[in-house]
Every structure is written in C-alpha cells, then in structure tokens.
Amino acid sequence: MSDGTPADLFFDAAIGLLQRVRDEEAEAITAAGTLLADTVAAGGRLFAFGAGHSSLAAQDVVYRAGGLALMNLLAAPGLVGVDVMPATLGSRLERVDGLATAVLDTSPLRAGDALVIISLSGRNALPVEMAVTARTRGAKVIGVTSVAYAAETASRHSSGTYLKDHCDVVLDSKIAIGDAELTLDTIPAPFAPASTVVTSALLQAVLATTAATLAARGIEPPLLRSGNVDGGHEWNARVFEEYRDRIFYQH
C-alpha cells in the first residue's frame, strides 16, 4: 500500500471505481434507466433483489426519499442482508437450487415487470436461476455484477453460466475479485470492500436516468419525498394512492 492514510487510500480507490463506472458503463446505465422507464410507462412494476450484502443496494432504492415509489424489494427469509442466524447460513442459501424459483412463485412478479438482480460474483445458483426464471416468465432483467468474476471463478449453477449471461442489461461494477481494495504488510488479508458504495451509486444513476426519461416523455415520475420535510407525507400519500396497484411494500 502506498503513502497516505488507509482512509485516504480507500476514498481514492472508491472514487477511482466510481469514475470508471461513470465513464465505462454510461451506455449500460442509459439502457437500464430507459428499460425501467419503458416498464413504468407500460404499466409494469419494478423489483430489486440482492442476497447477503448485495441486498443493501437493493434496499437502498426501495421506499426511499428522492427515489421511485414503484421500486419494490423482492425478499426471502435469510436472503435480505444478514437477517438470518447464523449469518453464514445466508451464504449457503445462495447455492441452493430451486430457491429462486420458490421466491418468484410467491412474489407478485409477472410478465411486463422489470427485476434488478444484484450479485457481486454472479456465480451462485440463486441469482442465475432467478434471472433465467424471471425472463422465462416475461420479465426484463437488469443485472448488477462484477464481470471479472466470470473470467476468474467457476460458476456454481448447474448450467455453468453466470448472472451476466441471463440479463437484458448488465451493469459491471468493476469490483476486483474478493471485494477488498486495500492491502497492508502488517495485515495478512486484503481489506476495505467498496462494492456497496459502487453498486448503490450505479443504481441511483440508473434511477436518475429513469426519472429524467419519464419526464422527457411527459410522464411525471412517481417519486417519493422525505417525510421529514413539510408536505412530504401528503405528497407521498398522493403517489401511494395513484400507484397503489404497483406498490407492494405497503401491504
């Protein structure tokens, strides 16, 4: 590790990754934002899914001030963050064949909807099966993943494929294998993961594109306002009422 405090070096690494995705993923970000806008305009519903820490970025775009009211979290016990004990069980569940299909069977997802699937490695059975099954059922899939994993790791899905192979749009987070940005001679393992920072920024860039695309078409984007500003609750109540058939986190 070169000169500079560990904090400085982490910020530098995160900023570098953000600059890369801004520049290298611009076309994919536009495509993803347009896909979501097309879905909203056509009356479809929006869902986001991630397992383990990948769920953090999914949760960040659901019921969020300044975000699209129509984004719903697709969740299952043991797969939302580290909500299961022991936490290591969540990693095992991502490798279980059939689990993604069971999640989709009990979800409101249908043809014409859009599903954002977040998986850093994209190699486990769960995200691959979820993407394949969702597309088979007529939904569009946006995958957020590190494409590098497909070149350097073995797939854990029976098909030998990765999340990136089953998406309408792929957003590459550029995160290196192992998701740790720093090394130090006195520490035996690499440390300081940046995937949450980068993935969350990617998704917010996509949703900003969606909102602007809808507005350019003369459609008011269904955005939420903070409940901690005057008039926020009243604004949100109007949006919830207008789109109640496409918002599932209220029920």
Side-chain angles (χ1 to χ4, degrees), residues 220-243:
E220 180 187 336
L223 297 169
L224 294 174
R225 290 189 172 184
S226 172
N228 295 313
V229 299
D230 292 342
H233 288 299
E234 291 76 15
W235 172 280
N236 293 341
R238 176 183 66 83
V239 174
F240 289 152
E241 176 60 25
E242 183 175 352
Y243 291 97

Side-chain angles (χ1 to χ4, degrees), residues 143-189:
V144 188
T145 187
S146 172
V147 172
Y149 275 83
E152 300 183 43
T153 65
S155 170
R156 290 185 176 132
H157 188 260
S158 57
S159 67
T161 61
Y162 299 78
L163 171 61
K164 72 175 186 63
D165 300 318
H166 305 283
C167 300
D168 296 280
V169 180
V170 175
L171 297 168
D172 183 2
S173 64
K174 317 293 182 181
I175 300 296
I177 304 294
D179 191 18
E181 294 300 319
L182 304 183
T183 58
L184 197 62
D185 291 343
T186 55
I187 300 177

Side-chain angles (χ1 to χ4, degrees), residues 187-225:
I187 300 177
F191 59 103
S195 60
T196 304
V197 173
V198 176
T199 302
S200 293
L202 263 173
L203 287 180
Q204 292 298 346
V206 168
L207 293 181
T209 303
T210 300
T213 301
L214 288 170
R217 297 178 185 179
I219 301 170
E220 180 187 336
L223 297 169
L224 294 174
R225 290 189 172 184

